[in-house]
Amino acid sequence: MKNIAVIGAGTMGNGIAHSFAQSGFTVNLIDISDAALKRGLNTISKNLDRMVAKEKISETDKTNTLSNISTFTSIPEGVKNSDLVIEAATENLSLKLKIFKQLDEATSKNTILATNTSSISITEIAAVTSKPDLVIGMHFMNPVPIMTLVEIIRGYNTSDETTKTIMNLSETLGKTPVEVNDYPGFVANRILIPMLNESIETLYNGVAGVTEIDTVMKLGMAHPMGPLQLADFIGLDVCLSILNVMYNGFKNPKYAPCPLLVNMVNAGKLGIKSGEGFYDYSENRKAETVSKQFS
């Protein structure tokens, strides 16, 4: 397995492309516009520059990594001759189903199709293809070049051979793959996202403020960042989407999103990506931004 295609040049997609390219794989990075691809490549280049500055890699390593990446705005052209395609598009079921239908038509019968989804059913995605045994989840963690965990999610029909191939491949990237089964939220987000939601509930109920909640969890539980800051980092819209997937999948009220989270997303307060969430990032400072209007 040498030729990898990655669909989506955003945060996760460019990180996945970076990791494979740095490990010597030939990578085709695919997105809908040249502008999106340019932003993705710029991010990869900046991240490589940081690694050079920290003497983790050489300038030659950086040059070789970038030379391993080609860009495409067409899925059929970009996935041609790929051994593995990894979809890293927006966390939207209808979009992913549309992409996998295209991939089924554009790839060979032996090409493995993976999705970087953090919560959506692998089995449901695989069902729109003619080769569900070759469809699998590869849930990378952000930032991809640094974080070592990869959740490997088996759909109902994913074969043992496909699973073993992807587990071994993940190890060649220097990652630690963990095999899990296909249930809403898998393992990482089934545990993490309800904790973030409970933190938002704690704020919503007036138990404590943003910085107080985050300080308790950082100092008391040794978390590297507080849950509300982490929610901003992930994206409040992403957190809401994952909660909705779990709530709809389990029909259990413990997964129902906090009304404050819903209101903030509706108001466009999405965290770092929008410049404001539980903290204000507009002037490179952190200040509480939640007000009574969201209660």
Side-chain angles (χ1 to χ4, degrees):
M1 185 168 287
K2 192 67 178 176
N3 300 316
I4 312 297
V6 179
I7 299 176
T11 300
M12 298 305 296
N14 70 59
I16 294 168
H18 173 163
S19 296
F20 274 98
Q22 190 174 326
S23 295
F25 291 86
T26 299
V27 179
N28 288 352
L29 183 58
I30 307 162
D31 211 309
I32 58 174
S33 70
D34 289 325
L37 291 166
K38 183 177 180 180
R39 287 193 297 271
L41 287 176
N42 285 341
T43 298
I44 294 171
S45 183
K46 289 177 182 178
N47 288 337
L48 289 168
D49 283 337
R50 292 191 190 97
M51 297 177 78
V52 171
K54 294 178 180 179
E55 298 184 345
K56 292 185 176 181
I57 63 172
S58 66
E59 282 287 351
T60 301
D61 293 329
K62 175 190 172 181
T63 300
N64 290 340
T65 297
L66 292 173
S67 69
N68 285 334
I69 303 174
S70 300
T71 59
F72 297 84
T73 54
S74 164
I75 286 179
E77 184 181 1
V79 302
K80 190 188 305 180
N81 301 320
S82 293
D83 302 307
L84 168 67
V85 181
I86 304 174
E87 170 272 318
T90 303
E91 194 75 347
N92 178 283
L93 176 60
S94 60
L95 174 61
K96 291 185 186 296
L97 296 181
K98 179 181 177 181
I99 289 173
F100 271 79
K101 287 178 182 177
Q102 288 182 274
L103 293 178
D104 192 45
E105 297 173 357
T107 57
S108 77
K109 63 179 182 179
N110 297 318
T111 301
I112 295 176
L113 306 180
T115 174
N116 182 58
T117 181
S118 58
S119 61
I120 295 173
S121 169
I122 308 304
T123 302
E124 187 171 1
I125 291 172
V128 301
T129 75
S130 61
K131 49 182 180 182
D133 58 311
L134 293 176
V135 178
I136 195 166
M138 292 185 77
H139 180 207
F140 290 84
M141 305 293 125
N142 183 31
V144 180
I146 296 173
M147 300 292 281
T148 58
L149 174 66
V150 185
E151 270 190 308
I152 306 300
I153 307 103
R154 294 185 65 138
Y156 189 84
N157 292 304
T158 306
S159 70
D160 291 341
E161 182 179 357
T162 297
T163 303
K164 182 178 179 181
T165 298
I166 295 303
M167 294 283 285
N168 291 339
L169 177 67
S170 299
E171 290 177 350
T172 68
L173 298 177
K175 306 296 186 184
T176 300
V178 177
E179 180 183 339
V180 306
N181 290 318
D182 186 22
Y183 291 97
F186 315 134
V187 171
N189 283 328
R190 183 169 177 174
I191 295 170
L192 173 65
I193 298 300
M195 184 195 76
L196 301 188
N197 193 48
E198 189 62 28
S199 301
I200 299 169
E201 285 278 3
T202 303
L203 175 67
Y204 179 60
N205 291 328
V207 178
V210 173
T211 54
E212 288 78 11
I213 291 169
D214 278 355
T215 299
V216 166
M217 296 304 289
K218 285 190 289 185
L219 300 185
M221 310 302 166
H223 290 191
M225 68 172 68
L228 299 175
Q229 183 184 3
L230 178 57
D232 276 354
F233 182 75
I234 293 170
L236 302 190
D237 53 336
V238 175
C239 293
L240 178 59
S241 175
I242 295 170
L243 281 166
N244 284 331
V245 166
M246 293 195 292
Y247 182 67
N248 291 331
F250 293 115
K251 299 296 188 292
N252 188 324
K254 75 177 181 178
Y255 298 116
C258 176
L260 173 57
L261 174 62
V262 175
N263 277 347
M264 291 182 69
V265 171
N266 287 339
K269 312 300 183 184
L270 309 182
I272 291 175
K273 68 174 75 175
S274 69
E276 187 177 345
F278 293 106
Y279 294 92
D280 184 352
Y281 304 91
S282 59
E283 298 177 2
N284 295 319
R285 63 185 176 84
K286 295 189 178 109
E288 292 185 31
T289 61
V290 177
S291 65
K292 292 182 181 179
Q293 64 177 310
F294 296 125
S295 300

